[in-house]
Amino acid sequence: MARVAIVTGGTRGIGEAISIALKGMGMKVAANYAGNEERARQFSERTGIPAYKWDVADFDACQEGVKKVEADLGAVDVLVNNAGITRDTTIKRMDHQKWQDVIDTNLGGCFNMAKAVFDGMLGRGYGRIVNIGSINGQAGQYGQVNYAAAKSGIHGFTKALAQEGARAGVTVNAIAPGYIDTDMVAAVPEEVLGKILAKIPVGRLGKADEIARGVGFLVDENAGFVTGSTLSINGGQHMY
């Protein structure tokens, strides 16, 4: 019987690549999204993967969203916490809302979604959770105290939750992407991006498919001895 997977932020960028990869592994995939209705519609038409709208920063919405997916597709075996936002600026200019929005979505979303599926995974004796962190959660980044704090928190969250699920067959791992060729990175000013590229030993941006292949490894049924780990996919930019 096909495993059921939810990918948050799953209709664009890295999330889109992950959704497509998991479908290619034979899973029934639900791609969550927060706002871009037209992009989600196009994604579903192109891939045949259903898209479900809710805000991962909203605890109750996550509970209801997961219930809807389970009613449509079945019990959730795989969760990929990929949804994330940026509100970049220096702390001098960062107001509390920019801080809270990023913490609530990027880190709070991991808790909200894990809370919605974890008990079911424990009860069935199987589960795979992958949280998408960031190189900037490992190394820090100027102008990103909110984003770096949230992503760093994801790595700690992963290690702690992995210990709760290990004996029940539920693995929890993280991936820390470097700079990937997505819309988010495309918004970086050209002169800044040039400096970033100069620091990447392989000399290029990563591809979303490369992150998706890492996720595919971690969610495989044969990956049950890998838990509490962070897989860095960053072209050698930060070795941690």
Side-chain angles (χ1 to χ4, degrees), residues 50 52 69 71 73 93 100 114 123 139 142 158 174 215-216:
Y52 294 79
V69 170
L73 304 180
R93 294 176 173 156
Q100 201 64 54
Y142 182 89
T158 296
V215 173

Side-chain angles (χ1 to χ4, degrees), residues 23-190:
K23 181 183 180 184
M25 292 173 67
M27 297 186 190
K28 294 189 287 186
V29 179
N32 154 267
Y33 71 104
N36 194 325
E37 300 272 3
E38 180 60 21
R39 183 73 173 261
R41 183 188 64 79
Q42 292 175 358
F43 164 84
S44 292
E45 288 180 352
R46 185 174 66 255
T47 65
I49 298 170
Y52 294 79
K53 183 179 180 180
W54 71 82
D55 180 1
V56 297
D58 184 329
F59 180 85
D60 291 335
C62 290
Q63 294 284 325
E64 292 305 312
V66 169
K67 288 178 183 176
K68 172 63 173 168
V69 170
E70 291 188 327
D72 292 348
L73 304 180
V76 175
D77 303 298
V78 175
L79 169 64
V80 182
N81 282 314
N82 168 73
I85 62 172
T86 56
R87 298 288 186 269
D88 294 352
T89 189
T90 60
I91 196 167
K92 183 176 181 178
R93 294 176 173 156
M94 183 179 295
D95 59 29
H96 184 262
Q97 197 61 52
K98 286 186 174 68
W99 166 268
Q100 201 64 54
D101 287 348
V102 171
I103 297 296
D104 287 348
T105 297
N106 297 15
L107 181 56
C110 287
F111 170 81
N112 293 341
M113 289 301 301
K115 183 68 175 175
V117 303
F118 199 66
D119 282 353
M121 291 178 174
L122 293 177
R124 293 186 300 276
Y126 182 88
R128 298 285 184 265
I129 297 176
V130 178
N131 303 311
I132 305 300
S134 171
I135 186 175
N136 292 344
Q138 297 172 318
Q141 179 59 271
Y142 182 89
Q144 282 197 327
V145 294
N146 48 5
Y147 186 83
K151 291 297 188 177
S152 180
I154 285 173
H155 298 304
F157 175 87
T158 296
K159 293 174 184 178
L161 190 60
Q163 295 179 54
E164 296 186 28
R167 289 188 180 276
V170 180
T171 67
V172 187
N173 293 287
I175 288 181
Y179 285 85
I180 308 300
D181 190 9
T182 62
D183 291 346
M184 185 180 289
V185 172
V188 174
E190 188 173 342

Side-chain angles (χ1 to χ4, degrees), residues 166-219:
R167 289 188 180 276
V170 180
T171 67
V172 187
N173 293 287
I175 288 181
Y179 285 85
I180 308 300
D181 190 9
T182 62
D183 291 346
M184 185 180 289
V185 172
V188 174
E190 188 173 342
E191 65 275 12
V192 176
L193 188 57
K195 293 177 182 178
I196 291 170
L197 282 169
K199 295 178 181 178
I200 302 175
V202 301
R204 64 172 176 84
L205 296 175
K207 300 175 183 177
D209 288 347
E210 293 174 305
I211 306 303
R213 283 194 287 275
V215 173
F217 164 71
L218 292 172
V219 303

